Each structure stands twice: as structure tokens, then as C-alpha cells.
Amino acid sequence: MLGHIVSYQMLNHDVVEIKIQLPQIISYKPGQWALIDYKVSEQPLKRAYSIAEYKIVDQNCEITLAIKLLEGSKSGGYLKIAKQGDDIEVVGIFGHFVLQDNENPKVFIGTGTGLVPLIAMANMTTSDKKLYFSVSHKSDLFYIDRIQNIANLESHIHVSREEVEGCEPGRIDLTAASFPENTEFYICGNPAVVTAFAETLQSRGYQKIYTEKY
Ligand SMILES: Cc1cc2nc3c(=O)[nH]c(=O)nc-3n(C[C@H](O)[C@H](O)[C@H](O)COP(=O)(O)OP(=O)(O)OC[C@H]3O[C@@H](n4cnc5c(N)ncnc54)[C@H](O)[C@@H]3O)c2cc1C
């Protein structure tokens, strides 16, 4: 379906936030993603992007994406020149990495743009909730305002390669943290990091672990 870019803004030096209005209401659960079909050549160029925010506006819906513009990226060439008012092809909303509808405590762990679906989930749940978010440098931070606006969220924002006031130093380290047995873990971002967290938590006996690898 043809979506319409209603807002385009850089969130930091390489993450762009794009809000897209879709011409119909599509069912959505927090954590899911949309597929963008760039249609830039004969070769298909489709990329999945998690949805940070979903809103119904009249008979349409609006999705907010936050996308890292990677060096040498195929889709980045288009994204860098995209602007408010452009049309963009969106193929549905998909995904099994979704917020479980219960009151179990929830721990969200994200690296880089792995934060995006966690923002949507943390916003929607009324469970006890904690968020661990990490980036390498201060300049990589984004959506700090969104994190701070989520009610009753205990947040741990890590900047691993430099000291930043208000942030925790080093990488996310859960070895000293303990969580109730029924805690659900939602882990998203770099595949190696997601696997490492999931394996560590499994080895500690936690069973409700949900992952999305970018
Ligand atoms: C379910 C799902 C949801 C996703 N949600 C998001 C999202 O919300 N925001 C977002 O920015 N991305 C997200 N991604 C990743 C996104 O779909 C693309 O894979 C990513 O943007 C790279 O595509 P590209 O065209 O920019 O790079 P390509 O042209 O495919 O690759 C360019 C270069 O970057 C390297 N590369 C590819 N992916 C990554 C990466 N993730 N990190 C570092 N280097 C990489 C490649 O090895 C290559 O050298 C998601 C992926 C999945 C599977």
C-alpha cells in the first residue's frame, strides 16, 4: 500500500525518524514491524523496521519508524534524500515479537535501534517494567525523551565508550541483577548481543524470553 511521509527528522547523527500515514487501518501489536519496499530498481529492496508508535487518525493509521542510516547501505541512499510529503511503499505490519498481554514483570533490553519496538511495548504495558538500553557513544543516543515519558518505567541507559552524565557506564551487565521468576524478557538489536543475553538469562533459569534480531 502507498504510505505518505508526514514527518521526517534526524534524531541524532545517523538515526532518522519517519512518520508514515497509511491509507487504511491495519491491525498492530506493540513490537511488530512494517516492511518498506523501496522500489528503487528492478531488484527488490525491502527492509523491515520496527514500529516505535502506532496511532489511528480518522480512517487511517500512522506509524513511526526510527532507522539507522548505515554506511554503504542500500536503503540508506533513498532514506537520506526522502522528505516529508514523499510517498513510500509499505507492505503490511508483521511480527511475532509482541508484548504478552498479562501482568508479569517485564524487562526490555535493547541495543541501538533495537530500542524501537521496546519503546512501543513499554508504553503499552502496565506491568512492573525495566528498560536497559545501550549505545556506544553519547552521540548515538536517541529517544531519551520518549523513555523518560513512559510512566513507571525504571530505565538504565548505558553509554559504553564514554562517560555521560545521567547515563550508566559500560555495557549492560545483568549479572548482579535479580528478577522475579515469572519475569518476561524482551531483547532486541544486534544479533550477537541478543543471543548472548538470551543464553545468559536461560542459563539462570528464566523461561519467558522473547527476541528480535536485526
Ligand atoms: C524484524 C526487523 C526489524 C528491524 N527494525 C529496524 C529498526 O527499527 N531500525 C533500523 O534501523 N533497522 C531495523 N532493522 C534492520 C533493517 O531491516 C536493515 O536490515 C538495516 O537497516 C540494514 O539495511 P540497509 O539497506 O541499510 O543495509 P544493507 O545495504 O543491507 O547493508 C549495508 C551494510 O551494513 C551492514 N549491516 C546490515 N545490517 C546492519 C545492522 N543492523 N547493523 C550494522 N550493520 C549492518 C551490512 O553488512 C552492510 O555492510 C530491522 C530488521 C528486522 C529483521
Side-chain angles (χ1 to χ4, degrees):
M1 91 200 79
L2 203 58
H4 192 67
I5 298 179
V6 292
S7 165
Y8 178 104
Q9 65 159 325
M10 293 303 295
L11 298 176
N12 65 20
H13 66 106
D14 66 356
V15 176
V16 62
E17 180 190 74
I18 299 181
K19 292 182 189 251
I20 304 172
Q21 190 181 67
L22 302 178
Q24 64 200 71
I25 294 171
I26 302 176
S27 82
Y28 159 80
K29 290 182 182 160
Q32 288 188 306
W33 46 274
L35 194 66
I36 300 290
D37 182 350
Y38 287 100
K39 291 190 178 296
V40 282
S41 68
E42 296 289 298
Q43 296 289 326
L45 182 63
K46 296 181 185 172
R47 294 288 182 266
Y49 301 112
S50 301
I51 296 170
E53 187 180 359
Y54 171 96
K55 275 199 250 177
I56 292 179
V57 185
D58 300 326
Q59 292 308 306
N60 306 312
C61 65
E62 185 185 292
I63 56 173
T64 301
L65 313 177
I67 305 172
K68 187 174 172 80
L69 302 172
L70 296 163
E71 281 300 316
S73 143
K74 294 194 189 106
S75 56
Y78 167 81
L79 284 168
K80 280 180 189 157
I81 57 164
K83 58 188 182 310
Q84 187 176 329
D86 285 356
D87 289 332
I88 190 165
E89 189 68 24
V90 180
V91 188
I93 292 180
F94 308 102
H96 301 292
F97 180 67
V98 293
L99 185 70
Q100 303 300 300
D101 187 13
N102 58 45
E103 285 302 309
N104 288 334
K106 302 193 188 333
V107 172
F108 302 102
I109 304 168
T111 59
T113 48
L115 172 69
V116 177
L118 308 181
I119 288 280
M121 291 177 171
N123 252 317
M124 285 303 290
T125 181
T126 53
S127 298
D128 278 353
K129 52 195 170 190
K130 295 181 181 175
L131 170 76
Y132 295 84
F133 170 45
S134 87
V135 296
S136 300
H137 298 282
K138 183 180 180 186
S139 60
D140 300 326
L141 289 168
F142 67 100
Y143 276 169
I144 300 306
D145 52 342
R146 283 192 185 246
I147 293 172
Q148 288 168 345
N149 286 336
I150 298 174
N152 304 318
L153 176 69
E154 178 185 313
S155 62
H156 300 266
I157 300 169
H158 286 253
V159 178
S160 62
R161 298 204 188 159
E162 59 186 302
E163 284 197 15
V164 177
E165 201 185 329
C167 295
E168 298 181 28
R171 295 181 175 172
I172 301 166
D173 181 1
L174 300 180
T175 45
S178 74
F179 307 99
E181 196 185 319
N182 62 340
T183 299
E184 293 170 1
F185 296 88
Y186 297 84
I187 315 170
C188 183
N190 173 285
V193 178
V194 170
T195 301
F197 276 119
E199 286 178 357
T200 305
L201 290 164
Q202 264 159 7
S203 72
R204 289 174 59 183
Y206 295 106
Q207 291 177 353
K208 302 175 199 301
I209 300 171
Y210 307 94
T211 60
E212 186 84 277
K213 296 176 183 175
Y214 284 0

